Amino acid sequence: MTSEQPTVLVVDFGAQYAQLIARRVREARVYSEIVPHTEPAEAMLARRPAALILSGGPASVYAPGAPSLDPGLLDSDVPVFGICYGFQAMALVLGGRVEHTGESEYGAAQLRVAEGESTLFHGLPREQQVWMSHGDRVVVPPEGFRVTASTSGSPVAAFEHQRARLAGVQFHPEVLHSEHGQAVLEHFLYEIAGISPTWTTSGVIDEQVEAIRAQVGDRRVLAGLSGGVDSAVAAALVQRAVGDRLTCVFVDHGLLRKGEAEQVERDFVAATGVDLKVVEAAERFLVALAGVSDPESKRKIIGREFIRVFEQAAREVVAEAGARGDGVDFLVQGTLYPDVVESGGGAGTANIKSHHNVGGLPDDLSFTLIEPLRALFKDEVRAVGAELGLPAEIVWRQPFPGPGLGIRIVGEVTRERLEVLREADAIAREELSRAGLDRQIWQCPVVLLADVRSVGVAGDGRSYGHPVVLRPVSSEDAMTADWSRLPYDVLARISTRITNEVAAVNRVVLDVTSKPPGTIEWE
């Protein structure tokens, strides 16, 4: 993002919700980034943040080695908002008292807003449900702070210091279980920190186009397309910047869902006019996977073959460009902000990330990376894709694993089993779309239990077919997920159609496991 854009830094004290806080700030139309609590205060303040938000965390402020809060952050004239652990650390540094009482608050709690003036809670109900997760609690606020809310377990559940522009809450305003949490957060951003809600994804396109042109100059760029939204939007954004100096490579490994290869080859090209090189490699992958049932072995084989196919395609593109007197110096990667955070900052290395199917390129195919989406979350990427004019089928494509259907077949991957799964999956997606549910769930993997046979009835005789599993899940970031409560009539239509139209399947079952303990994918 540009230096002119007001930025809120979310200081991460090990919170499982740090990314969610950053998302909520952006939903308030204020740009935000996450920084580790170990980053020196001087480095944070050198970024000239418009405000700081101190996240929660699993530690006790009194525990040996607990994350510490540099007092310099609170003496800097930068507005600060503490949440949970960040709230307690803030109170402790400023001279308040935090106690470990042995009485914890976890889950829903009733918050009572104090009488009198409050910027955080003005216009909100005097009693509201909030979400708690703490063992310690603030019992005495720092001098000059006004207690503005409490719960039965937290006498100081919120405090404010208007003149110093400091505030905090014991609960988690970023989670949906806190009824008015977003309003509380926005009151801090707009009224205490004085930030105007001006950030949108619409400015990302112009900003990135300008940056890409400055980086690339008159040289050529290579991009790998997977069929997913991240790689498609990244490539479309670069193509907007450099035009026909971008070449995209699409490796069709034969493990995509029904119609997805055609989406890339037809719809993406029609929308962007991009130069696309398609590599048909389905037979190669089937041969490599023959006789293999172990999930991890399948993943490694698919990744290995993808590297080999992509590197050969990349060499051909480089050779063709060289014959014309051009050089291919840049590689587009669809890295998103969660990838950057989870990799500890995302220093740019010339490796295609594993979730893009490739573990790395050989030394003689080294490129400088272009990562135009590295500041964005998935929903923001979709918004950029829509503005770039990409088809809705690509922009709203549900997350799909790099190894594709290869890890949604429990057992050996064969041509016949892939066709069975493609048909069952296509029916499920079609019915979810018809019911208007495909954008309300995170994704709905369909899994073929290829090594399992169950007895059924077909006409007047018995059948021995395969079961398929429906795995509808709801999630914001895939780190945790819950199974989606789909309407029974939709489930019934999916089951009836699959068992009627896909001859090899005679049973449809529903996976109702959350994550954790289960993963989203079966393999």
Side-chain angles (χ1 to χ4, degrees):
M1 296 296 106
T2 60
S3 58
E4 293 81 8
Q5 176 65 53
T7 299
V8 171
L9 295 183
V10 177
V11 183
D12 184 7
F13 286 98
Q16 61 176 318
Y17 296 134
Q19 287 194 30
L20 188 53
I21 297 171
R23 289 176 62 91
R24 295 293 182 246
V25 173
R26 294 189 187 192
E27 287 171 7
R29 298 182 61 199
V30 176
Y31 182 67
S32 64
E33 292 184 359
I34 300 170
V35 295
H37 73 275
T38 52
E39 181 169 314
E42 296 80 7
M44 293 186 204
L45 297 176
R47 302 187 188 205
R48 303 181 63 184
L52 297 168
I53 295 180
L54 312 178
S55 84
S60 163
V61 291
Y62 293 118
S68 59
L69 172 63
D70 191 320
L73 293 178
L74 304 178
D75 295 334
S76 63
D77 294 328
V78 175
V80 180
F81 184 58
I83 295 175
C84 195
Y85 181 91
F87 172 67
Q88 296 168 4
M90 187 177 181
L92 197 62
V93 167
L94 292 171
R97 194 163 91 243
V98 180
E99 290 184 352
H100 186 73
T101 64
E103 297 178 7
S104 302
E105 265 187 314
Y106 294 102
Q110 282 299 117
L111 185 79
R112 294 180 296 278
V113 178
E115 296 289 340
E117 183 181 351
S118 167
T119 303
L120 289 179
F121 298 103
H122 78 80
L124 300 180
R126 286 291 179 186
E127 292 203 6
Q128 53 189 272
Q129 178 181 287
V130 296
W131 193 257
M132 291 286 196
S133 181
H134 66 96
D136 299 343
R137 64 184 183 182
V138 179
V139 292
V140 177
E143 185 177 349
F145 281 74
R146 181 172 181 273
V147 177
T148 53
S150 61
T151 69
S152 59
S154 298
V156 183
F159 57 43
E160 305 172 30
H161 193 309
Q162 292 292 330
R163 186 166 40 82
R165 298 194 298 170
L166 303 175
V169 295
Q170 179 61 70
F171 60 91
H172 288 276
E174 71 274 18
V175 303
L176 295 176
H177 304 292
S178 292
E179 291 176 322
H180 301 281
Q182 185 68 12
V184 170
L185 188 57
E186 290 176 1
H187 288 169
F188 167 75
L189 295 170
Y190 305 158
E191 299 173 38
I192 294 179
I195 304 172
S196 298
T198 57
W199 185 78
T200 66
T201 55
S202 61
V204 171
I205 296 176
D206 292 339
E207 182 180 315
Q208 286 299 316
V209 165
E210 181 181 345
I212 293 165
R213 285 174 177 166
Q215 181 182 10
V216 172
D218 60 357
R219 289 167 291 179
R220 298 192 63 83
V221 184
L222 179 69
L225 290 179
S226 67
V229 61
D230 302 342
S231 65
V233 174
L237 194 47
V238 173
Q239 196 268 346
R240 174 73 63 90
V242 304
D244 62 6
R245 282 181 286 118
L246 169 70
T247 298
C248 292
V249 173
F250 170 54
V251 176
D252 184 359
H253 51 27
L255 304 173
L256 293 175
R257 296 180 293 188
K258 187 175 183 178
E260 288 181 330
E262 291 77 9
Q263 278 183 7
V264 176
E265 296 181 44
R266 182 190 62 228
D267 300 343
F268 183 77
V269 173
T272 62
V274 76
D275 175 29
L276 179 66
K277 179 182 182 67
V278 178
V279 183
E280 302 286 353
E283 189 63 33
R284 174 175 182 156
F285 279 81
L286 281 173
V287 170
L289 290 167
V292 179
S293 296
D294 177 68
E296 191 58 29
S297 297
K298 287 193 289 186
R299 285 179 178 272
K300 289 180 179 178
I301 290 169
I302 294 168
R304 180 196 69 209
E305 293 302 314
F306 196 100
I307 291 173
R308 292 174 177 172
V309 173
F310 186 88
E311 72 181 31
Q312 179 57 40
R315 284 197 178 96
E316 292 172 5
V317 172
V318 170
E320 291 166 4
R324 296 192 303 268
D326 295 330
V328 182
D329 300 310
F330 299 93
L331 176 68
V332 181
Q333 184 165 312
T335 307
L336 304 192
Y337 191 56
D339 303 324
V340 175
V341 174
E342 290 165 12
S343 63
T349 57
N351 287 334
I352 302 177
K353 293 183 72 66
S354 60
H355 67 273
H356 286 195
N357 307 312
V358 184
L361 292 175
D363 293 338
D364 60 345
L365 284 174
S366 59
F367 299 96
T368 300
L369 289 184
I370 298 176
E371 298 174 301
L373 309 179
R374 64 181 284 114
L376 304 181
F377 287 99
K378 176 76 77 172
D379 55 333
E380 296 164 346
V381 171
R382 294 191 196 279
V384 169
E387 286 196 46
L388 288 169
L390 293 182
E393 292 78 12
I394 292 178
V395 170
W396 289 99
R397 182 180 187 258
Q398 293 180 352
F400 190 60
L405 298 180
I407 59 168
R408 291 185 178 175
I409 295 175
V410 179
E412 181 186 2
V413 178
T414 67
R415 191 187 315 276
E416 294 73 20
R417 290 173 173 183
L418 283 168
E419 287 307 312
V420 169
L421 182 52
R422 276 197 191 95
E423 292 303 318
D425 176 88
I427 290 169
R429 286 189 291 144
E430 183 179 320
E431 290 299 331
L432 289 172
S433 296
R434 183 174 296 167
L437 296 170
D438 52 351
R439 296 190 189 182
Q440 295 182 24
I441 61 174
W442 176 259
Q443 58 176 305
C444 183
V446 179
V447 181
L448 175 65
L449 303 184
D451 288 344
V452 177
R453 293 265 183 173
S454 65
V455 67
V457 177
D460 295 326
R462 292 160 69 87
S463 68
Y464 290 93
H466 298 291
V468 296
V469 181
L470 303 181
R471 176 74 166 125
V473 292
S474 300
S475 178
E476 285 196 283
D477 54 16
M479 295 176 68
T480 61
D482 193 14
W483 67 281
S484 303
R485 275 65 167 175
L486 299 181
Y488 290 151
D489 58 336
V490 175
L491 290 171
R493 283 198 300 272
I494 293 173
S495 176
T496 299
R497 283 196 57 194
I498 289 176
T499 53
N500 283 347
E501 299 174 31
V502 185
V505 176
N506 68 351
R507 194 176 297 270
V508 177
V509 298
L510 179 67
D511 184 345
V512 295
T513 313
S514 63
K515 176 189 178 181
T519 56
I520 292 177
E521 299 293 342
W522 271 51
E523 293 205 332

